[in-house]
Structure formats: structure tokens, C-alpha cells
Amino acid sequence: MKLNKIIRTLVASTVLFAVSATVHAQTLKLGHITPPTHVWHQISEKIAADLAQASAGKMKIAVSPLQKLGSEAQMINLMQAGAQQFGVFTVGGLSNREESLLAWSLPYVFKDVAHATRAVSTPAAKQMLKRLDNSGLVGLGYVFAGMRHVLSLQPVASAVDLKNKKIRSFPSPVYNDWWNAIGAAPTAMPLSEIAPSLTTKLLDAVDVDLDALVGLKFHQQAPNLTLTNHMAFPAVIVVSKKWWDSRSQAERDMISKVVAGAEQWGFKAAIDADVMNLEKVKADGANIIKADIAFFRVVGGKVRDKYIAKNPLIAEFYKQAKDL
Ligand code: BEZ
């Protein structure tokens, strides 16, 4: 009788332990839109691995690439509800919530990826992250893809070669203004639609970074690469504010520390990737066009002026970032 009671107590406490372990070792979700070859996926996997280690297995993150959890707009909605805890979202996608993030897409502000990573430390860049609070997101850091260039079916040696040409543009107003000002015909589309649109000749050219280009092999469809270097391409590492507010201070500190480490790691990875990816496309036989980009720069200045006049934080950022 006594033995039975001991066994029952043991079974009950085992079940209780298992249930509470399940509750505490909740699997968290991190979503982003890039392919698994992209540097943002590597940074996401690093956050998952480092957080599992720092929390002794309590915080497990499942990383979903290629918009498997939905488009950025859909994932932002999930995060506001607390149903997705982590995201790596383009500044373009987030600028629908916080307009000042458009500052990162102003043409010809940054020389290269290293210059853009230095701009993360500006007060204006930090202020942009703070403002995401108003949209139910906590901005913890930035990540970078490569600089933007033009990939095309026919060689593009100057802006004239893009006159009225259908160019894939990133879905964001600065990109649309930029390509219209150049005289091209921009079509906003996500990464996933570029390959089929090149196949069906719906596009003459593509605005893209080298990391996405190499990962998705767009140069096999459009072999001409003009190194316009017209914009940087950052994303923000965000956490659901609803979920964040329900964590203890110790957990928030742990997550912030893990993300800060991944952010630094990601800066170097993105800088190195931009150099290596150019070598890869060259080795793959892409035709690198020596272009006259003077006109691109002049037009870039006009587009910048429009956005600087529109939003004081964009103006501040430009002032703080341009000469770093
Ligand atoms: C793009 O749509 O061009 C893009 C999106 C995410 C990362 C890199 C490129």
C-alpha cells in the first residue's frame, strides 16, 4: 500500500516536471524572407544557437527562411499578436510602420557595406529602432545584405540604356522614385517572383544585392551586371513587444546580449560576403559592365533631397551617416 503511494507520487511528479519543462522550453519562431544561403539566414541561425546555449536549452528558436511564415507584412501582424517572437525584416518592409527607416535606402549615401555598418552607431539609427515600439516591435539591431546593383538581359553602360526598360524594383517608395527618376519603368516585386519574371521576359533588368543574386543564381538568366552600387540594404532584428514585455529583466538582458553578438558577427559576414560574391559571379562568367554612373549619382541626389525634406529624422540620419 505504502509502495503504491510512493509510485503514484513519483509518476505524478514526473508528469508535472515534463509538463513544466515543455512550458518553459517553448519553441520560439524567427521568420525572414531570404533563402538559406543568405547572410541573414546565417545570422538568424547564430541567434538561435547562441540563445539556446545562453538559456541552457530553455529558449529554442525555429528559424523559417523564404517567407515560410508569411510576407513581411503578415509576419509583422503575427509579431504584434505575440504569435511570432523574432523577425529579421528589411528596412523597406518596416518603413510602412516607421517612415524614418527609409533613410537607409537613400541613393549614394554609403560607399560600401562597411560604411553602412558604421552608420548603425549614429543616434538617428538608434532612434529609428526605438520608434518601432509604437508598432508593437522591439528593434534590437541591424543586419546588412550587399550593396545594390543592376543585373540585366542586355548590357547597361549608362542610365540611357535603362530608358523605359522594365526593371524589378524592391517594393518601397524610395526605389520606385529612384527608378522613375532614372527614366526606367519600375515594377515592384518580391525576390520570389524575379526568376519566373526573367524567364517570361516580363523584366529587362533587376535591382538586387549580390548575396541574393548569387544565392538565387539570377545571373544565369540575366548575365550582365552593372556595378551601380546605388544603395545599401539593411534589415532590422526585431522582437515581438508583446512577448518581450512578458519576459523577466534577466531574460531581456540575455536576449539583447545574444543579438548584439550576432549583429557584430553579421557586420563582418556581410562585408566579406559582398567581396566574395563578386568573385563568385565573375568566376561564373557574368559580364561585368564598366558603366558611367555620374548620371545615376546626380539623380540620386535629387531623390535624397525629396526624402530629407519629408522627415526630420531622415535628414538627421543623412547628416550623421554620410561622412563616417
Ligand atoms: C530583395 O528583395 O531584393 C532582397 C530581400 C531581402 C534580402 C536581399 C534582397
Side-chain angles (χ1 to χ4, degrees):
M1 193 64 184
K2 226 175 174 184
L3 187 65
N4 267 350
K5 198 172 169 196
I6 291 170
I7 290 170
R8 273 205 307 276
T9 312
L10 270 176
V11 169
S13 52
T14 308
V15 168
L16 204 68
F17 177 77
V19 167
S20 87
T22 317
V23 168
H24 288 295
Q26 178 198 8
T27 299
L28 307 165
K29 293 182 189 153
L30 187 160
H32 64 84
I33 62 170
T34 60
T37 48
H38 199 273
V39 68
W40 295 357
H41 186 71
Q42 293 161 22
I43 294 165
S44 303
E45 289 290 5
K46 180 165 172 58
I47 292 172
D50 292 356
L51 196 57
Q53 191 178 33
S55 67
K58 263 203 215 156
M59 287 196 185
K60 291 206 170 76
I61 301 181
V63 178
S64 300
L66 284 171
Q67 54 184 32
K68 285 190 181 139
L69 297 182
S71 65
E72 288 192 332
Q74 288 165 330
M75 286 193 274
I76 289 170
N77 287 338
L78 287 176
M79 291 189 75
Q80 287 173 326
Q84 178 181 331
Q85 294 76 24
F86 291 82
V88 176
F89 300 147
T90 60
V91 290
L94 285 167
S95 65
N96 292 328
R97 310 288 169 149
E98 176 45 47
E99 185 188 53
S100 63
L101 285 163
L102 289 173
W104 285 100
S105 306
L106 298 185
Y108 293 108
V109 176
F110 303 111
K111 292 185 277 292
D112 51 25
V113 180
H115 182 183
T117 63
R118 291 195 289 276
V120 164
S121 313
T122 59
K126 291 181 187 161
Q127 182 64 21
M128 291 170 201
L129 295 190
K130 277 219 186 77
R131 288 192 182 177
L132 286 171
D133 270 27
N134 301 330
S135 302
L137 300 170
V138 180
L140 289 186
Y142 289 97
V143 296
F144 291 84
M147 299 296 287
R148 311 289 296 193
H149 303 291
V150 173
L151 190 71
S152 53
L153 296 178
Q154 299 303 322
V156 170
S158 75
V160 175
D161 295 329
L162 282 170
K163 187 99 191 127
N164 297 326
K165 296 287 182 208
K166 283 170 279 162
I167 185 161
R168 177 271 172 161
S169 149
F170 181 77
S172 163
V174 187
Y175 284 79
N176 194 53
D177 286 350
W178 158 245
W179 287 119
N180 273 322
I182 290 289
T187 305
M189 64 172 66
L191 272 183
S192 55
E193 286 174 28
I194 297 177
S197 303
L198 283 171
T199 307
T200 54
K201 303 272 185 286
L202 213 71
L203 292 172
D204 300 301
V206 176
D207 173 328
V208 74
D209 77 290
L210 293 180
D211 218 353
L213 184 159
V214 167
L216 296 168
K217 300 187 177 19
F218 295 141
H219 54 303
Q220 292 179 355
Q221 294 175 282
N224 301 291
L225 177 63
T226 305
L227 298 171
T228 48
N229 214 39
H230 53 275
M231 290 175 196
F233 199 74
V236 180
I237 305 168
V238 285
V239 175
S240 154
K241 182 160 163 45
K242 189 168 179 190
W243 180 75
W244 182 256
D245 288 346
S246 70
R247 300 295 96 201
S248 67
Q249 188 55 48
E251 283 178 320
R252 286 198 286 261
D253 291 347
M254 177 173 64
I255 296 165
S256 298
K257 192 167 165 208
V258 162
V259 170
E263 185 188 42
Q264 287 304 317
W265 182 90
F267 291 169
K268 180 164 172 14
I271 293 166
D272 292 348
D274 220 26
V275 176
M276 280 172 343
N277 283 325
L278 183 55
E279 292 312 313
K280 267 192 216 156
V281 271
K282 280 183 186 167
D284 270 6
N287 183 21
I288 312 293
I289 314 290
K290 282 202 174 48
D292 171 11
I293 58 165
F295 180 71
F296 284 93
R297 285 185 171 280
V298 172
V299 174
K302 290 185 185 149
V303 175
R304 272 199 321 262
D305 289 348
K306 171 178 166 179
Y307 284 86
I308 285 169
K310 200 170 148 79
N311 182 308
L313 189 51
I314 294 181
E316 271 307 298
F317 178 75
Y318 178 61
K319 232 191 304 171
Q320 293 168 12
K322 67 186 168 65
D323 297 322
L324 287 175

